[in-house]
Amino acid sequence: MLFRSGVKSNNGVISMDGDATYESDCSKSAGKPVTTLLELAKADGRGTGVVTSTRVTHATPAATYAHICNRDLEADIAVQLVPGGKGYNSALKEGLDVVLGGGSSFFLPKADKGKREDGRNLISEMQAKGYQFASNLDELNKADAGKPLLGLFGSSHMKYDLDRPASEPSLAQMTLAAIKQLKGKEKGYFLMVEGGRIDHALHDTNAKRALQDTIAFDNAIKAAIDEVKKSDPELKNTLIVVTADHDHTMTINGYSAKGNPVLDLVKNGDGSTQNDVDGKPFTTLVFGNGPNRAAVRPVLTSDQVMANDYLQETGVKLTSETHGGGDVMLFADGAGSNRFKGTLDNTKVFGKLREALGCRS
């Protein structure tokens, strides 16, 4: 998330400088807020939006608009979105133009089946400030482009794309809805779109859901490019940057025959399985660590490993798979994309984005 502010911070800290420490009580934490790219865009009079498949108060979306010592204080993060309310982030001026994702529980009081202990209904407060509210795809499609929009599609994270009901918008549909809200802004806009549930499936070592959500993210990128090209065919006034904040420990395993499904067992061209030293088949995709490591490896079948809920085997047994330490890809297209070349420290991405967008420091 360092591309949001260009400043390295401690684990668990959201858009604060390196002096801020992760605390359950932020009054015990030092440090100061650091300006985010979204705040710079807002200061320049641009439209601003956040789209995610996680809770909108989760770490990555929160890092664009909030400042706090503890990423888990999501009720305190949510109030930073409510214009004029207690705890509001005044750097957002009149507020974000569009916020779409999950996490209504942190906007609602316990009396309304939420998690807020202060009794505030932040959805109602934002509606009182002129926000439209959508809780399903139909309401999202009916939203007026002329008014700010809050969409919360579930009490917690949105469904994995593999499990998504028809009433819940896809990441691509949310992306297009956000562009609908923002494309009329005279000075342009900044939009952050996150396929955040890819990470969650990987932590569970559920490769099938991780790959399906990756496709959903790719579909959102394509939808965004196709939409902006309607008014900017050569992307002369549009910059699109795609990256990740970390990698995971999933890897490709063995010498599977060409055309063999990536989620399947490793197989030879004749359909026979390749086996370990004990004569047991294994999958193409495995993880360095995670929950699924049996004391004695089972005899796996294709039906078993291709199922939606199958968790890939791991090298080291942990309750949850961890992030990896490898470099991540950085893609860019459109105006200013030539700046994003070579191997970069993650903090440098923020500076290149700011330079490309012409935002004031």
Side-chain angles (χ1 to χ4, degrees), residues 191-314:
L191 174 63
M192 192 287 296
V193 177
E194 180 202 22
R197 301 235 62 195
I198 300 168
D199 173 75
H200 298 168
L202 289 168
H203 280 304
D204 288 340
T205 67
N206 185 272
K208 188 169 187 177
R209 285 188 171 86
L211 294 179
Q212 181 64 38
D213 265 60
T214 302
I215 293 170
F217 182 51
D218 189 62
N219 289 339
I221 297 167
K222 183 180 186 302
I225 293 172
D226 290 346
E227 183 63 24
V228 297
K229 280 188 173 181
K230 292 178 182 178
S231 57
D232 186 12
E234 298 180 8
L235 299 181
K236 291 182 178 179
N237 299 298
T238 305
L239 171 63
I240 297 173
V241 177
V242 180
T243 190
D245 50 357
H246 56 77
D247 76 338
H248 280 267
T249 68
M250 186 172 76
T251 191
I252 293 176
N253 191 40
Y255 300 101
S256 195
K258 183 178 179 180
N260 193 54
V262 72
L263 290 167
D264 203 354
L265 300 169
V266 177
K267 294 181 179 179
N268 300 306
D270 62 2
S272 63
T273 61
Q274 295 180 22
N275 301 325
D276 67 8
V277 294
D278 296 319
K280 297 177 180 179
F282 52 90
T283 56
T284 300
L285 297 179
V286 295
F287 285 79
N289 60 60
N292 188 15
R293 180 173 173 82
V296 178
R297 288 196 64 242
V299 178
L300 299 172
T301 67
S302 288
D303 286 343
Q304 179 183 359
V305 303
M306 296 280 280
N308 292 351
D309 295 329
Y310 179 70
L311 306 183
Q312 263 62 28
E313 292 181 292
T314 67

Side-chain angles (χ1 to χ4, degrees), residues 4 19 41 43 52 66 72 81 112 125 171 219 269 273 289 354:
R4 308 283 195 279
D19 293 330
T52 179
D72 297 321
L81 279 172
D112 292 330
E125 289 185 30
L171 191 62
N219 289 339
T273 61
N289 60 60
R354 184 178 59 190

Side-chain angles (χ1 to χ4, degrees), residues 37-48 91 93 186-188 354 357-361:
L37 194 68
L38 184 147
E39 290 170 336
L40 288 173
K42 177 61 71 174
D44 272 1
R46 302 171 190 263
T48 52
K93 298 185 178 297
E186 183 178 349
K187 296 190 68 175
R354 184 178 59 190
L357 296 176
C359 291
R360 296 189 300 270
S361 59

Side-chain angles (χ1 to χ4, degrees), residues 103-118:
S104 64
S105 60
F106 290 105
F107 288 75
L108 296 172
K110 287 188 172 181
D112 292 330
K113 299 182 179 180
K115 294 186 176 182
R116 300 200 62 82
E117 297 182 354
D118 57 7

